[in-house]
Amino acid sequence: METGRVVATFGKHCLVQAEIGLIDCVGRGRKTDIACGDRVELKLTSPGNGVVEQVQPRRNLLYRSDPFKTKNFAANLDQVLVVTAAEPGLNEDLLNRCLVAARAADIPACIVLNKADLAQTAELHAYLKAYEAIAYPVILVSAKHDVAPLLPLLAGKTSVLIGPSGVGKSTLVNALVPEADVRTAEISRALNAGRHTTTHTRLYELPQGGALIDSPGMQEFGLHHLGPDDLQAAFPEFKPFLGRCRFYNCRHLKEPDCAIAAATADGSVLPARLKAYRTLLAERQAADLKRHR
Ligand SMILES: Nc1nc2c(ncn2[C@@H]2O[C@H](COP(=O)(O)OP(=O)(O)OP(=O)(O)O)[C@@H](O)[C@H]2O)c(=O)[nH]1
Ligand SMILES: [Mg+2]
Ligand SMILES: [Zn+2]
């Protein structure tokens, strides 16, 4: 029996970095619930091939979910780096889904604002100060020119890069891991949309110690596994106002004398955050209704 760390997942297969080398593995049984970053025990079936016999208990797991299935990003993480950029532009709904997923999994998160070399970045940087005020540090970098601000943050830690297509996650990996040689592509201007160049999650060892995980850009990010209490708790800035609504069981939707709504009106809570909370709660409630019908 060998042990190792999962460094890539694709379909039913995963690549495991074991002491004897890289092993192409399949999971045992029907359910292949293996995530990048998992520590596993495997049995060799032929040189270079094996079967994962067991996944060791995880410290944490970052994942998203729709009503029917869950999709793993990565496991055993020290931090989540949510990447954004002025080109293709801030997707604030997605940003918040990423931050909520990380908070719910109890993993610290930061925002990486990439493409510092673009003129439009300054305005976005100023806007993101509101997120810094909540609890999410913003690190301004240019994958093409200077990634030094990320180095102290990454050293010795396991980090995952998540975010929509085209923000430069793989370009960041290429800048930070000299031998990564990740395939990147120009944004397809003709389609006015980012091309999904990364197709599977992959872990790279950092030269200065630690690991960096690249993930495919996502458009959808369901969080159906989070119930009303989980959701509320995943917005740390709500905390000072909880228990101050007129109704003890206020869900902060349309109830009168809602302390969260009041805090949003007076500028203490960012409107986009309350909106994200309400959207996520509505999605969950719609799914619950369907299930009970
Ligand atoms: N100007 C500028 N362009 C950048 C920078 N970083 C990345 N890009 C460009 O942004 C585009 C998308 O970069 P990728 O690294 O492929 O983006 P990604 O986030 O990995 O995208 P997916 O794999 O589809 O999720 C490419 O054309 C890169 O050259 C940067 O710092 N400045
Ligand atoms: Mg990529
Ligand atoms: Zn309320």
PDB file of all heavy atoms in Angstrom, residues 101-113:
ATOM      1  N   ALA A 101     -18.630  30.278  -0.060  1.00  0.00           N
ATOM      2  CA  ALA A 101     -18.228  28.864  -0.039  1.00  0.00           C
ATOM      3  C   ALA A 101     -17.015  28.664   0.855  1.00  0.00           C
ATOM      4  O   ALA A 101     -16.947  27.715   1.643  1.00  0.00           O
ATOM      5  CB  ALA A 101     -17.923  28.385  -1.456  1.00  0.00           C
ATOM      6  N   ALA A 102     -16.051  29.575   0.753  1.00  0.00           N
ATOM      7  CA  ALA A 102     -14.841  29.464   1.567  1.00  0.00           C
ATOM      8  C   ALA A 102     -15.172  29.638   3.050  1.00  0.00           C
ATOM      9  O   ALA A 102     -14.742  28.858   3.898  1.00  0.00           O
ATOM     10  CB  ALA A 102     -13.816  30.507   1.128  1.00  0.00           C
ATOM     11  N   ARG A 103     -15.974  30.646   3.350  1.00  0.00           N
ATOM     12  CA  ARG A 103     -16.332  30.914   4.747  1.00  0.00           C
ATOM     13  C   ARG A 103     -17.100  29.738   5.343  1.00  0.00           C
ATOM     14  O   ARG A 103     -16.849  29.316   6.474  1.00  0.00           O
ATOM     15  CB  ARG A 103     -17.150  32.218   4.809  1.00  0.00           C
ATOM     16  CG  ARG A 103     -17.681  32.642   6.150  1.00  0.00           C
ATOM     17  CD  ARG A 103     -16.642  33.049   7.178  1.00  0.00           C
ATOM     18  NE  ARG A 103     -15.741  34.094   6.759  1.00  0.00           N
ATOM     19  CZ  ARG A 103     -15.205  34.998   7.589  1.00  0.00           C
ATOM     20  NH1 ARG A 103     -15.537  35.016   8.859  1.00  0.00           N
ATOM     21  NH2 ARG A 103     -14.341  35.878   7.134  1.00  0.00           N
ATOM     22  N   ALA A 104     -18.016  29.179   4.557  1.00  0.00           N
ATOM     23  CA  ALA A 104     -18.819  28.057   5.050  1.00  0.00           C
ATOM     24  C   ALA A 104     -17.954  26.819   5.286  1.00  0.00           C
ATOM     25  O   ALA A 104     -18.260  26.006   6.142  1.00  0.00           O
ATOM     26  CB  ALA A 104     -19.944  27.746   4.067  1.00  0.00           C
ATOM     27  N   ALA A 105     -16.863  26.698   4.529  1.00  0.00           N
ATOM     28  CA  ALA A 105     -15.954  25.566   4.716  1.00  0.00           C
ATOM     29  C   ALA A 105     -14.875  25.893   5.748  1.00  0.00           C
ATOM     30  O   ALA A 105     -13.976  25.094   5.978  1.00  0.00           O
ATOM     31  CB  ALA A 105     -15.308  25.181   3.385  1.00  0.00           C
ATOM     32  N   ASP A 106     -14.975  27.083   6.323  1.00  0.00           N
ATOM     33  CA  ASP A 106     -14.051  27.516   7.368  1.00  0.00           C
ATOM     34  C   ASP A 106     -12.611  27.629   6.845  1.00  0.00           C
ATOM     35  O   ASP A 106     -11.656  27.254   7.516  1.00  0.00           O
ATOM     36  CB  ASP A 106     -14.126  26.551   8.554  1.00  0.00           C
ATOM     37  CG  ASP A 106     -13.729  27.230   9.855  1.00  0.00           C
ATOM     38  OD1 ASP A 106     -13.691  28.470   9.881  1.00  0.00           O
ATOM     39  OD2 ASP A 106     -13.434  26.516  10.833  1.00  0.00           O
ATOM     40  N   ILE A 107     -12.474  28.158   5.626  1.00  0.00           N
ATOM     41  CA  ILE A 107     -11.152  28.349   5.026  1.00  0.00           C
ATOM     42  C   ILE A 107     -10.964  29.855   4.785  1.00  0.00           C
ATOM     43  O   ILE A 107     -11.834  30.501   4.183  1.00  0.00           O
ATOM     44  CB  ILE A 107     -11.034  27.610   3.669  1.00  0.00           C
ATOM     45  CG1 ILE A 107     -11.486  26.149   3.813  1.00  0.00           C
ATOM     46  CG2 ILE A 107      -9.606  27.700   3.132  1.00  0.00           C
ATOM     47  CD1 ILE A 107     -11.702  25.439   2.484  1.00  0.00           C
ATOM     48  N   PRO A 108      -9.848  30.441   5.248  1.00  0.00           N
ATOM     49  CA  PRO A 108      -9.621  31.872   5.009  1.00  0.00           C
ATOM     50  C   PRO A 108      -9.582  32.181   3.507  1.00  0.00           C
ATOM     51  O   PRO A 108      -9.098  31.373   2.726  1.00  0.00           O
ATOM     52  CB  PRO A 108      -8.241  32.136   5.636  1.00  0.00           C
ATOM     53  CG  PRO A 108      -8.003  30.998   6.564  1.00  0.00           C
ATOM     54  CD  PRO A 108      -8.756  29.817   6.011  1.00  0.00           C
ATOM     55  N   ALA A 109     -10.100  33.346   3.139  1.00  0.00           N
ATOM     56  CA  ALA A 109     -10.122  33.722   1.721  1.00  0.00           C
ATOM     57  C   ALA A 109      -9.568  35.123   1.524  1.00  0.00           C
ATOM     58  O   ALA A 109      -9.713  35.992   2.380  1.00  0.00           O
ATOM     59  CB  ALA A 109     -11.551  33.659   1.185  1.00  0.00           C
ATOM     60  N   CYS A 110      -8.905  35.327   0.387  1.00  0.00           N
ATOM     61  CA  CYS A 110      -8.473  36.662  -0.030  1.00  0.00           C
ATOM     62  C   CYS A 110      -8.931  36.863  -1.467  1.00  0.00           C
ATOM     63  O   CYS A 110      -9.226  35.911  -2.183  1.00  0.00           O
ATOM     64  CB  CYS A 110      -6.963  36.830  -0.084  1.00  0.00           C
ATOM     65  SG  CYS A 110      -6.036  36.048   1.138  1.00  0.00           S
ATOM     66  N   ILE A 111      -8.935  38.116  -1.879  1.00  0.00           N
ATOM     67  CA  ILE A 111      -9.260  38.452  -3.259  1.00  0.00           C
ATOM     68  C   ILE A 111      -7.955  38.824  -3.958  1.00  0.00           C
ATOM     69  O   ILE A 111      -7.204  39.676  -3.466  1.00  0.00           O
ATOM     70  CB  ILE A 111     -10.249  39.629  -3.312  1.00  0.00           C
ATOM     71  CG1 ILE A 111     -11.565  39.242  -2.621  1.00  0.00           C
ATOM     72  CG2 ILE A 111     -10.493  40.069  -4.754  1.00  0.00           C
ATOM     73  CD1 ILE A 111     -12.509  40.401  -2.383  1.00  0.00           C
ATOM     74  N   VAL A 112      -7.678  38.156  -5.064  1.00  0.00           N
ATOM     75  CA  VAL A 112      -6.511  38.516  -5.870  1.00  0.00           C
ATOM     76  C   VAL A 112      -7.017  39.325  -7.065  1.00  0.00           C
ATOM     77  O   VAL A 112      -7.760  38.811  -7.899  1.00  0.00           O
ATOM     78  CB  VAL A 112      -5.742  37.267  -6.341  1.00  0.00           C
ATOM     79  CG1 VAL A 112      -4.618  37.651  -7.285  1.00  0.00           C
ATOM     80  CG2 VAL A 112      -5.192  36.500  -5.145  1.00  0.00           C
ATOM     81  N   LEU A 113      -6.660  40.591  -7.081  1.00  0.00           N
ATOM     82  CA  LEU A 113      -7.023  41.450  -8.208  1.00  0.00           C
ATOM     83  C   LEU A 113      -5.872  41.424  -9.190  1.00  0.00           C
ATOM     84  O   LEU A 113      -4.828  42.036  -8.969  1.00  0.00           O
ATOM     85  CB  LEU A 113      -7.329  42.871  -7.725  1.00  0.00           C
ATOM     86  CG  LEU A 113      -7.629  43.903  -8.815  1.00  0.00           C
ATOM     87  CD1 LEU A 113      -8.760  43.459  -9.737  1.00  0.00           C
ATOM     88  CD2 LEU A 113      -7.953  45.262  -8.196  1.00  0.00           C
TER      89      LEU A 113
END
